[in-house]
Amino acid sequence: MSSSSSPRRQCRIFLWAVPRSISTAFFRAMMNKSSCKVLLEPYSRAYYFGHERVSQRYASEPVHEGCAYKDVKTMCEESYSEFDTVFVKDMAYYLVNRLESPEFVPDNYTHAFLLRDPHKSVYSLYKMSHNKELTGWDHFDASEIGFKELYDMYRIVTEKLGQEAIVIDADDLLKHPETTFRLFCDKVGTTFEERMLKWEDTPQDLAVFQDWMPWFEGVLTTNTFQPSATKPKSPMVMPDLPRHVLKAIEENMVYYNKLYPLRLKPSTLQIQ
């Protein structure tokens, strides 16, 4: 019998999300997975800072070299062969106007989608967008909500790439973190590890959060999944939001309602 073993199969996962959807906690969990290379929102560099940048939030800053959309795609497609798993977390809205085809979607990934009720995610985004002392932002921009782009990316993945939809809702993740993660890992073809749910001992350098540190301080001071401190008391009662924000919530609910029924349901997992 030959002593040679079969080549190790690397699992490559791309999580597309919307802002304020518990996506950074999801990312933190994947950081704790054994032999996992993580990339945090690489397309943000193209969207905000590259020579093709779409957003004017950082227009006063000089263009960053090496941040074109094709550069980011190439970086995501590197082999990272020393790792068993490659995990990328990003926002679909960074690829706005580039979602007619899979041209800028990195190859050889299993794609998943993380959403959260816009009554909660947009509320949180609005509050953070006006917290200049914390985030440096001084205004809310509805183009950064991202549900339409998330749905457009879902259609590319399912219709053009022919992949099964793997959709996760943040409320399911918060209520049933272990069950949801076990189901997610089963769907993407990787092994669930208990350490993914507790982050006291993070094996990787937290400098990965440096570019967007103010936005991530909440998750960096916790060690497991927990509800956001910025959620409204009731998702349907938000008297402090201006009319244009309420309108944006309703517009994005259209896409949320298309994706929500497709989500992985924790109750479908039968634990042996």
Side-chain angles (χ1 to χ4, degrees):
M1 183 172 62
S2 171
S3 60
S4 63
S5 57
S6 1
R8 171 173 55 87
R9 179 186 175 276
Q10 186 186 65
C11 182
R12 300 174 71 90
I13 308 160
F14 211 117
L15 181 72
W16 299 99
V18 293
R20 317 307 294 164
S21 61
I22 322 296
S23 63
T24 308
F26 199 112
F27 181 86
R28 185 75 185 273
M30 293 300 295
M31 284 184 74
N32 254 29
K33 183 171 173 55
S34 302
S35 187
C36 183
K37 170 66 178 179
V38 293
L39 298 174
L40 180 62
E41 300 188 20
Y43 278 107
S44 66
R45 301 166 199 166
Y47 182 84
Y48 287 112
F49 303 109
H51 72 271
E52 305 161 296
R53 60 181 163 194
V54 178
S55 174
Q56 295 303 302
R57 275 203 185 274
Y58 300 96
S60 61
E61 291 197 18
V63 168
H64 296 191
E65 296 301 322
C67 291
Y69 280 91
K70 65 178 183 180
D71 296 330
V72 177
K73 182 174 185 283
T74 298
M75 180 185 70
C76 292
E77 292 174 343
E78 289 183 23
S79 67
Y80 303 109
S81 57
E82 65 272 33
F83 295 94
D84 293 338
T85 305
V86 180
F87 177 79
V88 187
K89 190 269 279 194
D90 223 328
M91 301 292 164
Y93 81 81
Y94 295 151
L95 276 76
V96 65
N97 302 324
R98 291 174 170 82
L99 292 170
E100 295 79 19
S101 76
E103 180 182 358
F104 294 100
V105 179
D107 295 333
N108 301 316
Y109 278 89
T110 297
H111 297 270
F113 304 86
L114 180 61
L115 56 152
R116 187 186 186 196
D117 186 336
H119 292 95
K120 299 175 183 178
S121 63
V122 178
Y123 180 93
S124 179
L125 179 63
Y126 174 76
K127 294 296 186 183
M128 292 288 281
S129 296
H130 284 277
N131 190 343
K132 188 172 184 179
E133 183 177 346
L134 177 64
T135 66
W137 289 16
D138 60 6
H139 68 278
F140 170 80
D141 183 346
S143 67
E144 293 166 322
I145 296 174
F147 278 89
K148 180 183 185 303
E149 291 76 25
L150 192 70
Y151 182 69
D152 288 345
M153 182 63 76
Y154 159 82
R155 292 193 62 185
I156 286 177
V157 168
T158 56
E159 297 175 11
K160 305 284 177 136
L161 302 182
Q163 291 191 15
E164 177 188 3
I166 302 174
V167 180
I168 300 166
D169 185 77
D171 283 340
D172 291 331
L173 186 59
L174 290 173
K175 291 175 186 174
H176 312 285
E178 179 175 348
T179 306
T180 302
F181 249 100
R182 284 184 180 276
L183 186 53
F184 168 77
C185 289
D186 180 67
K187 286 289 185 181
V188 300
T190 192
T191 304
F192 171 79
E193 300 174 32
E194 296 284 348
R195 60 189 282 169
M196 296 164 68
L197 302 179
K198 294 289 183 182
W199 312 317
E200 292 96 336
D201 180 24
T202 301
Q204 300 195 42
D205 187 353
L206 290 180
V208 68
F209 294 103
Q210 193 60 49
D211 289 347
W212 298 102
M213 184 63 78
W215 290 86
F216 301 145
E217 283 185 353
V219 76
L220 294 180
T221 57
T222 63
N223 60 12
T224 190
F225 290 94
Q226 61 184 30
S228 168
T230 58
K231 71 176 183 178
K233 292 180 180 178
S234 167
M236 305 305 293
V237 181
M238 295 172 287
D240 56 335
L241 291 183
R243 188 179 301 255
H244 71 280
V245 179
L246 294 171
K247 181 173 183 289
I249 289 173
E250 294 311 309
E251 290 172 348
N252 280 271
M253 280 298 299
V254 173
Y255 301 102
Y256 175 79
N257 287 334
K258 290 176 183 286
L259 291 170
Y260 182 76
L262 305 172
R263 76 195 190 282
L264 300 179
K265 300 175 180 65
S267 60
T268 65
L269 179 63
Q270 300 299 318
I271 301 177
Q272 301 298 319

